[in-house]
Amino acid sequence: MREQILELLKLEKKALSVTEINDALGFQSVEDFKTLLKELNAMEDELLLYRTNKDNYMLFNNSHLKLGRMMATKKGYGFVDIEGDDDVFIPPSCMNNAIHGDKVIVEITSKKGTDLEGRIVKIVDRQLKLMVGEYVIKNGVGTILLDDEKVKLNIVIPKEHRMGAMEGHKVLVKITNKLKNNNYNGEIVKIIGHKNDPGVDILSIVNQHGIHDTFPKEVMEELDTIPDYVKPEEMRNRKDLRGEEIFTIDGDDTKDIDDAISIQTLENGNYLLGVHIADVSYYVKEGSRLNEDAYERGTSVYLADRVIPMLPHKLSNGICSLNPLEDRLAISCEMEINAKGEVVSYDIFESVICSRKQMTYQKVNQILEENIVPEGYEPYQDSLRKMEELAKILRKSKEEKGYIDFDLDESKIIVNEKGEAIDVVLRNRGKGEKLIEDFMIAANETVATCIYFMELPFVYRVHGEPSEEKINKFLNFVGGLGYHVKGDIKKMHPRVMQDILKQLSDKKEFHILSSLLLRSMQKAIYDATNIGHFGLASKCYTHFTSPIRRFPDTTVHRLLRKYLFEHQVDKDTIAFWEKELPVLCEHTSETERNAVDCEREVDDMKKAEYMLKHVGEEYEGIISSIMSFGMFIELPNLVEGLIRLEDLTDDHYLYDESTLTLRGVKNKRGYRLGDKVSVIVKAANKELKTIDFVVSNEQNKEKYGKKVIET
């Protein structure tokens, strides 16, 4: 029956009533009619069909409607995130009681270029997950002030479900039942701590994102079966590389070391690059609670003052970490690379290694950038310079293929022993960091290419082509700034994007424009189907090099073991992974996005906390974006604050959406992206994660300056 209904509605260009569908299909009996109604209801629930206000049915995919996830804002409006399509703006009057996170059906009501506007027609799914807030008592009733202001819910906590919470406690609350509209009963399931206790600020955000900061008892019990050292019998059938010069290069405070490297020059003049990765899948077995928990987490989360690891510390900092002077099990990828940067041959195998030294980027950069050899690095300086030589060759080869290096700066938040932000600085990305990046990319491409040509199920890291419409919009915007940029976007190749960036590289707004161009492109995800990686100009790419931190990498190792080492390529194995991998890729792409969102939210909160101590101080920044309500100013350390339109008091400013500028009505002066602006910190709010600036002038110095605050 379902197929008949779908076929009928495909042919029709209008919505049909139940009676019209029944008659068209030739059903005669009451029983048939009842069965049809049940089927139509089921197809509506599965979003195969859409039922109009007049109770007529049409194919959902043929309708003017879209399915997506509501992304609400604190100001009352929102956006519907539609997979593989542009976001749809939803005005406050069109939200139809939808809240942040709801799965919704949206009707597109207007379109201007790539900008879509719509209204919420229906809430399809409201998964009221666990939420975080502050427990308060209002008029004798326990309630929750939710941390996420985008979720407009009133939650009442009955006395029997308060779990001993006191006012001021940050808690994790579970919704139990609906009272009316957006009013619910709730139950406290965890007390995170008092809002003023050190570290509770970050833990609140972590819990809000559903990230577990502790491991289940069953997972910790399983660790007792895993040894602290490599046993002799575990080295059998592995290539013994312990006699080779292998070392690691990481950040100063890194404790979970996934990757080690080695290099040799062969008799034919080619390089032999070794990338040796911790063999996590040897310890994290299929079917174990360790594996189930790692799958659920999907990734480690790196926050201002802590790491929430995917694996318990006994593994992530212990037996799986390639610690110096310790025997460790690894999966090695050795690549013979010629002077053009081509991998002419390779070998992927199980190994046992012993890293000679745990190097840091800072000290490696001293050797490669300043020709200063720190104590203890003397035996390795020749190898490091040979690696630099190879890295230059690999980078040149990548750039010739079209590799897009947006070279965007990142900030690092420095915290004290209480977890308070005491400084915000730029992360260094020197030759050492780039060298490791180049080597890891080479290994990832090699591993992906190996399995791709075997035509076996696999996990790929993919990055689709950007839409011509979005790149056109970017080029039109750049043209509005007065810059003529050439680019044949009909032939969407990474070299086109690379060339656009080169043409903009000498412009004062380059940092901002490269970030805007990046936002015009798709996000990289995990997928079982290889479509290549546009940003890296790679035809075949995976994530192989960080199995301690990322579950997709652990899965890649598991598949390498099955296919290459154990030669399990039978029909049952292939059928299992063909079914398993699409689900795994979707899940780990989602956990990655969630971790990134959590990390950004913590950064925003800590930056606001840092700027609280600098209210009244003056800085110089650049305009990073302009909106109808004001403009964002980015300081050299990437702290960003908002100058609100109402705080621009020297004139009445109008917003020009096409050029993203503010223009004064009287003085005709204006603000545009990339302009330098001197600002005073007006205010900062740690809870709201906001920073407010005002333009530095005599009037604002008098009103908001440091001297005013101190007196």
Side-chain angles (χ1 to χ4, degrees):
M1 182 180 286
R2 177 168 293 204
E3 289 72 21
Q4 290 175 284
I5 296 168
L6 291 173
E7 194 60 39
L8 171 65
L9 292 176
K10 276 179 192 174
L11 298 172
E12 290 293 333
K13 294 186 177 178
K14 63 172 186 173
L16 299 179
S17 68
V18 181
T19 305
E20 287 172 324
I21 295 171
N22 184 78
D23 292 346
L25 296 179
F27 297 145
Q28 302 290 331
S29 69
V30 174
E31 287 304 314
D32 282 344
F33 188 79
K34 287 180 179 177
T35 304
L36 174 62
L37 273 175
K38 284 183 183 177
E39 192 62 52
L40 288 172
N41 287 334
M43 292 172 77
E44 184 188 355
D45 290 342
E46 294 170 39
L47 298 179
L48 293 170
L49 302 181
Y50 174 68
R51 183 167 52 156
T52 69
N53 291 334
K54 294 181 179 179
D55 286 335
N56 292 335
Y57 291 87
M58 62 194 299
L59 291 179
F60 188 87
N61 289 339
N62 286 357
S63 70
H64 54 307
L65 306 169
K66 301 276 187 181
L67 179 69
R69 186 73 62 182
M70 169 56 71
M71 311 298 287
T73 68
K74 291 179 280 192
K75 295 183 180 293
Y77 60 85
F79 296 88
V80 176
D81 179 17
I82 300 168
E83 189 72 35
D85 210 336
D86 291 316
D87 293 348
V88 182
F89 172 72
I90 310 295
S93 59
C94 299
M95 295 284 283
N96 197 15
N97 283 326
I99 64 171
H100 185 70
D102 282 350
K103 195 174 185 179
V104 296
I105 295 173
V106 58
E107 178 186 12
I108 311 298
T109 55
S110 70
K111 182 175 181 181
K112 297 174 185 174
T114 56
D115 295 329
L116 303 175
E117 188 170 311
R119 68 181 184 91
I120 303 303
V121 174
K122 184 178 181 182
I123 298 166
V124 176
D125 184 25
R126 174 171 288 178
Q127 291 183 346
L128 286 172
K129 55 182 180 178
L130 297 171
M131 285 178 277
V132 172
E134 180 185 343
Y135 178 72
V136 296
I137 297 175
K138 288 184 180 179
N139 302 321
V141 178
T143 59
I144 304 295
L145 294 177
L146 290 174
D147 282 12
D148 192 345
E149 291 189 322
K150 300 187 293 294
V151 178
K152 307 294 184 183
L153 293 181
N154 300 313
I155 302 173
V156 175
I157 308 295
K159 286 183 180 179
E160 64 271 20
H161 293 145
R162 293 181 186 176
M163 204 180 164
M166 308 291 288
E167 276 205 283
H169 270 146
K170 283 295 192 77
V171 298
L172 192 63
V173 63
K174 180 176 78 172
I175 303 298
T176 53
N177 62 288
K178 186 174 182 176
L179 300 173
K180 61 176 181 177
N181 294 332
N182 285 349
N183 294 277
Y184 291 84
N185 271 334
E187 176 185 349
I188 293 172
V189 295
K190 179 181 179 182
I191 296 174
I192 299 167
H194 193 275
K195 64 180 181 179
N196 297 328
D197 289 346
V200 169
D201 53 0
I202 288 181
L203 282 177
S204 295
I205 295 173
V206 166
N207 279 274
Q208 180 65 47
H209 283 269
I211 295 167
H212 301 294
D213 56 312
T214 57
F215 289 91
K217 182 184 174 185
E218 313 91 82
V219 170
M220 299 307 289
E221 286 173 352
E222 263 188 11
L223 292 177
D224 295 337
T225 64
I226 297 175
D228 296 321
Y229 62 94
V230 177
K231 297 177 180 178
E233 59 267 26
E234 293 175 317
M235 301 183 199
R236 290 189 199 123
N237 302 319
R238 287 177 177 264
K239 195 168 182 179
D240 192 342
L241 302 179
R242 288 176 294 172
E244 294 194 11
E245 185 187 83
I246 295 174
F247 49 79
T248 64
I249 308 176
D250 284 284
D252 289 1
D253 50 359
T254 300
K255 294 182 177 64
D256 49 352
I257 306 173
D258 293 279
D259 55 276
I261 51 176
S262 61
I263 197 163
Q264 296 175 38
T265 305
L266 302 175
E267 289 182 8
N268 60 6
N270 289 346
Y271 302 88
L272 183 67
L273 172 65
V275 174
H276 314 278
I277 308 299
D279 192 354
V280 173
S281 65
Y282 177 82
Y283 297 102
V284 181
K285 307 286 189 186
E286 286 180 81
S288 67
R289 280 294 287 119
L290 259 172
N291 189 66
E292 287 173 17
D293 190 68
Y295 170 81
E296 287 303 320
R297 293 169 184 269
T299 181
S300 296
V301 187
Y302 292 82
L303 305 170
D305 66 346
R306 72 194 75 189
V307 176
I308 298 178
M310 183 179 79
L311 300 171
H313 289 303
K314 182 177 179 179
L315 298 183
S316 61
N317 297 359
I319 190 64
C320 288
S321 184
L322 305 182
N323 299 332
L325 307 179
E326 297 275 358
D327 291 347
R328 288 292 183 260
L329 303 183
I331 293 183
S332 295
C333 176
E334 287 189 339
M335 297 157 279
E336 181 182 346
I337 303 171
N338 65 19
K340 294 179 181 177
E342 299 166 334
V343 177
V344 295
S345 69
Y346 63 85
D347 192 13
I348 302 166
F349 54 89
E350 295 175 291
S351 61
V352 56
I353 69 167
C354 183
S355 170
R356 300 280 179 90
K357 189 170 183 62
Q358 182 179 350
M359 299 188 187
T360 67
Y361 288 126
Q362 184 185 10
K363 291 185 176 176
V364 168
N365 288 337
Q366 283 184 326
I367 296 172
L368 302 182
E369 296 173 3
E370 304 171 45
N371 205 26
I372 297 170
V373 182
E375 185 180 346
Y377 281 69
E378 296 88 353
Y380 310 104
Q381 57 180 311
D382 289 343
S383 293
L384 285 168
R385 290 196 171 96
K386 195 181 295 179
M387 287 176 172
E388 181 192 15
E389 196 178 276
L390 175 58
K392 282 180 181 175
I393 291 170
L394 288 171
R395 189 155 284 253
K396 184 183 176 186
S397 172
K398 284 193 303 179
E399 287 171 351
E400 286 172 353
K401 292 175 188 172
Y403 165 75
I404 307 167
D405 187 359
F406 287 94
D407 200 21
L408 297 177
D409 289 328
E410 292 181 23
S411 59
K412 180 179 181 181
I413 296 163
I414 311 297
V415 297
N416 62 17
E417 65 282 352
K418 294 180 182 177
E420 299 167 338
I422 56 173
D423 202 0
V424 181
V425 299
L426 288 181
R427 287 185 187 275
N428 183 40
R429 188 166 173 253
K431 288 186 176 180
E433 285 88 345
K434 290 181 180 179
L435 178 151
I436 290 296
E437 179 186 307
D438 292 333
F439 288 179
M440 297 305 116
I441 288 174
N444 286 332
E445 280 191 320
T446 299
V447 168
T449 302
C450 170
I451 305 301
Y452 178 73
F453 283 109
M454 293 175 74
E455 298 182 342
L456 293 168
F458 204 53
V459 175
Y460 296 97
R461 181 68 169 178
V462 302
H463 184 218
E465 288 184 1
S467 76
E468 184 181 326
E469 197 173 16
K470 285 191 175 181
I471 301 304
N472 249 330
K473 185 179 179 182
F474 173 79
L475 293 178
N476 289 337
F477 165 69
V478 170
L481 297 177
Y483 303 137
H484 180 61
V485 177
K486 296 178 181 177
D488 183 8
I489 60 172
K490 296 285 183 190
K491 299 175 182 175
M492 196 60 74
H493 190 278
R495 274 194 291 268
V496 175
M497 300 296 109
Q498 187 188 66
D499 189 46
I500 289 172
L501 281 176
K502 281 181 182 174
Q503 292 176 68
L504 295 171
S505 61
D506 61 343
K507 308 297 185 272
K508 63 172 184 173
E509 311 96 335
F510 175 70
H511 167 65
I512 306 301
L513 295 177
S514 61
S515 179
L516 281 176
L517 181 59
L518 179 61
R519 279 183 236 159
S520 300
M521 300 175 73
Q522 293 191 42
K523 292 181 177 71
I525 59 170
Y526 298 105
D527 205 309
T529 303
N530 176 38
I531 62 167
H533 195 295
F534 187 85
L536 295 176
S538 177
K539 292 179 180 177
C540 202
Y541 197 70
T542 191
H543 272 172
F544 155 74
T545 53
S546 294
I548 294 176
R549 314 174 198 190
R550 300 184 301 223
F551 196 80
D553 305 51
T554 310
T555 305
V556 164
H557 281 224
R558 185 164 285 139
L559 294 173
L560 291 176
R561 172 165 284 111
K562 286 186 183 298
Y563 298 157
L564 302 184
F565 315 145
E566 297 175 354
H567 307 292
Q568 288 186 37
V569 288
D570 56 277
K571 286 182 181 178
D572 288 345
T573 300
I574 291 170
F576 173 81
W577 288 105
E578 280 178 341
K579 183 180 178 183
E580 187 81 6
L581 291 182
V583 177
L584 184 148
C585 288
E586 185 178 351
H587 169 72
T588 51
S589 293
E590 191 175 321
T591 56
E592 178 189 40
R593 285 193 297 271
N594 188 41
V596 168
D597 288 344
C598 180
E599 289 164 1
R600 283 178 182 157
E601 201 172 328
V602 167
D603 281 359
D604 289 345
M605 184 260 289
K606 284 296 172 185
K607 285 176 180 176
E609 179 183 68
Y610 171 69
M611 294 307 285
L612 265 170
K613 301 166 190 143
H614 299 276
V615 171
E617 293 182 14
E618 190 170 338
Y619 296 89
E620 188 171 87
I622 62 170
I623 299 174
S624 56
S625 62
I626 296 179
M627 316 292 281
S628 58
F629 50 84
M631 55 187 179
F632 287 93
I633 311 298
E634 183 181 272
L635 304 186
N637 62 357
L638 303 187
V639 167
E640 198 173 48
L642 173 66
I643 298 179
R644 299 177 188 278
L645 206 58
E646 58 263 31
D647 284 332
L648 293 171
T649 54
D650 63 320
D651 200 348
H652 178 65
Y653 287 88
L654 298 176
Y655 171 60
D656 186 339
E657 187 180 3
S658 62
T659 57
L660 296 187
T661 57
L662 291 173
R663 181 70 56 185
V665 173
K666 295 176 186 174
N667 59 31
K668 303 300 179 187
R669 291 197 306 271
Y671 295 97
R672 59 178 243 174
L673 286 183
D675 283 353
K676 288 185 179 179
V677 183
S678 291
V679 299
I680 296 169
V681 184
K682 176 187 175 184
N685 188 311
K686 181 181 171 182
E687 284 69 36
L688 297 179
K689 308 168 189 70
T690 57
I691 300 163
D692 289 326
F693 293 150
V694 291
V695 173
S696 177
N697 54 34
E698 290 307 313
Q699 181 186 348
N700 285 334
K701 283 180 182 177
E702 290 252 345
K703 192 173 180 181
Y704 301 110
K706 189 75 173 176
K707 290 179 183 175
V708 176
I709 292 165
E710 286 173 351
T711 57

